Amino acid sequence: MERVGGWLPAPPTARAAASLTLEIGVAERAARALLEMGGRDNARKALDYAARLEDYLIKVPVARGRNPACNQDDRDRAIGRALLYQARANAILGNDNEARVKAALSYIAYPDEPSAKEWARALSRLGRGQEAVEKMAEAFAI
């Protein structure tokens, strides 16, 4: 399988799709685990994994197959998680405005409770309390 940038394979052929799913899953789990371990060094590594994962997912076309709507939903969810991990890593690194932007993009890509909460936390750290309350209310409404 051809490598793109030495990290993830080129967009899949039908034969390579299973291997690609595994590698995307590994990258996602690595970013999440690094964030859970804590610390600035791990946050930097997680930010790198998540940013590269986002870049790759955006370039990969949505699989057609039997259920294209489900495939689109899976892709949107994966992009949302990659952006969410970037938001969390930026928060750990003290880049609060970048954390806010990534959390907002995560919520736009796939509106769910974790992205709404992360957006609210970022707004709160920036002193934008009223907006933070509104985003937290959205998190509970989802």
Side-chain angles (χ1 to χ4, degrees):
M1 195 179 319
E2 180 186 345
R3 296 276 171 175
V4 174
W7 188 64
L8 284 174
T13 62
R15 199 176 112 184
S19 175
L20 172 64
T21 301
L22 175 64
E23 291 190 41
I24 289 172
V26 169
E28 185 180 330
R29 285 191 297 278
R32 184 176 62 238
L34 286 163
L35 289 170
E36 289 174 1
M37 289 170 50
R40 294 178 65 83
D41 289 338
N42 288 333
R44 281 187 203 93
K45 292 174 189 173
L47 182 59
D48 182 52
Y49 272 111
R52 289 163 44 184
L53 180 60
E54 175 203 2
D55 289 343
Y56 182 74
L57 289 168
I58 288 171
K59 292 175 187 172
V60 174
V62 176
R64 296 197 176 160
R66 284 195 271 159
N67 195 344
C70 183
N71 294 338
Q72 179 69 49
D73 190 61
D74 290 344
R75 180 176 178 267
D76 292 347
R77 184 180 296 128
I79 291 170
R81 282 191 304 259
L83 289 161
L84 178 65
Y85 298 152
Q86 290 177 63
R88 289 179 178 166
N90 275 302
I92 291 168
L93 295 171
N95 304 328
D96 292 331
N97 194 53
E98 186 66 16
R100 177 193 60 82
V101 169
K102 293 298 183 177
L105 290 172
S106 174
Y107 186 80
I108 291 166
Y110 192 82
D112 61 1
E113 179 184 353
S115 60
K117 284 183 176 180
E118 194 63 37
W119 195 359
R121 287 186 199 109
L123 288 166
S124 179
R125 285 190 302 274
L126 292 169
R128 295 164 61 177
Q130 183 59 38
E131 289 176 82
V133 169
E134 291 169 9
K135 291 302 164 199
M136 192 59 77
E138 286 181 31
F140 287 107
I142 292 177

